[in-house]
Amino acid sequence: MAILLSLSLFPIHASNTKPPNLNLIASRTTKRHLILKTISFSIISLASVQHPFAQSIALAEHSSSPTSKPGALSGIANTKSWFQFYGDGFSIRVPPQFEDISEPEDYNAGLSLYGDKAKPKTFAARFATPDGSEVLSVVIRPSNQLKITFLEAQDISDFGSLKEAAKVFVPGGATLYSARTIKIKEEEGFKTYYFYEFGRDEQHIALVAAINSGKAYIAGATAPESKWDDDGVKLRSAAISLTLL
């Protein structure tokens, strides 16, 4: 079972001096919708069952020495000047020119009842470039929804090694380019983050996952493969900036 990410469009505001060109608006809206729809199936597709990897995929497990995140991987930009978004139990840096595209109902999803339970948010955070081709998202899910376990997961390593956890976080059919273990020093010890970079359906995705108190926090940054050469460092850096609070 895959988690499919829903989509939203920017509101269109009519001009006070000139009537809107409805055909042009419809065309731009449709184009943006198609771009975001394509990305939605690629950014964070989490398989709830294990899948085999192609033999050609070499998954090398690396453990970085305790350090700050910008220096943990090659090809990472300094994000200190970027806007820092604070969410429920996490923070993440947002690249310049990215706009908040969370749907208004996302902010109140926890207050609306669905049956006897509060409806969970689809996204904990969601940002995109004006044309919608590059997207940064964060989702939060109970860890036992991603991997059946009788114990409450406290760290991503409870899902197994970097290679074992890839069966949960990297969708079947993807081409895996890189995988790293990142350990960040905290007051009570070290927190482990798993990083995966992969391609699927002409999209390039950088994904970081971590667990705290039974919740899995997953940040995904994606763009078309054609844009990754120019913007990959920026997007990878945004994903790597995920920090649990």
Side-chain angles (χ1 to χ4, degrees):
M1 179 181 68
I3 298 175
L4 302 182
L5 308 187
S6 61
L7 309 168
S8 64
L9 301 175
F10 289 117
I12 300 174
H13 301 286
S15 169
N16 293 327
T17 59
K18 184 179 180 180
N21 185 328
L22 297 181
N23 290 331
L24 179 60
I25 290 174
S27 176
R28 289 177 176 174
T29 300
T30 300
K31 182 178 180 181
R32 180 179 174 80
H33 176 78
L34 289 175
I35 292 173
L36 285 173
K37 185 175 183 179
T38 300
I39 291 174
S40 72
F41 286 95
S42 303
I43 183 170
I44 309 174
S45 180
L46 304 176
S48 62
V49 295
Q50 295 185 355
H51 60 82
F53 282 99
Q55 292 182 354
S56 60
I57 294 179
L59 177 56
E61 183 170 355
H62 300 272
S63 294
S64 62
S65 58
T67 183
S68 60
K69 285 190 177 180
L73 291 170
S74 60
I76 297 297
N78 189 329
T79 62
K80 288 185 178 180
S81 64
W82 296 3
F83 168 69
Q84 187 168 16
F85 175 85
Y86 287 90
D88 182 13
F90 73 94
S91 72
I92 195 165
R93 296 283 183 173
V94 182
Q97 281 77 58
F98 272 54
E99 302 171 342
D100 191 336
I101 60 169
S102 297
E103 296 183 5
E105 57 266 30
D106 282 348
Y107 294 111
N108 298 318
L111 302 178
S112 62
L113 295 181
Y114 184 78
D116 295 329
K117 299 180 180 180
K119 182 181 178 181
K121 293 181 180 180
T122 302
F123 298 99
R126 193 166 184 243
F127 303 88
T129 51
D131 66 358
S133 65
E134 300 176 15
V135 177
L136 172 66
S137 297
V138 179
V139 297
I140 304 173
R141 294 290 181 270
S143 59
N144 58 12
Q145 284 187 4
L146 306 182
K147 184 174 182 178
I148 298 175
T149 175
F150 295 104
L151 300 176
E152 183 180 82
Q154 298 296 322
D155 189 82
I156 192 74
S157 58
D158 292 339
F159 274 19
S161 67
L162 181 70
K163 185 174 182 178
E164 291 168 339
K167 299 172 184 179
V168 175
F169 296 108
V170 180
T175 300
L176 189 62
Y177 303 131
S178 178
R180 296 289 183 101
T181 297
I182 304 172
K183 293 183 181 293
I184 305 300
K185 185 173 177 56
E186 298 182 345
E187 292 182 0
E188 299 179 355
F190 292 94
K191 175 62 68 176
T192 304
Y193 296 73
Y194 283 170
F195 168 83
Y196 302 98
E197 190 168 320
F198 55 91
R200 188 189 188 199
D201 299 331
E202 298 183 358
Q203 292 289 318
H204 196 124
I205 300 100
L207 182 149
V208 173
I211 290 178
N212 191 36
S213 299
K215 293 182 180 179
Y217 296 77
I218 306 141
T222 186
E225 286 285 2
S226 59
K227 288 193 172 186
W228 198 263
D229 284 344
D230 293 330
D231 297 336
V233 170
K234 174 180 66 179
L235 293 166
R236 185 184 302 116
S237 302
I240 290 292
S241 73
L242 175 71
T243 301
L244 301 192
L245 303 177

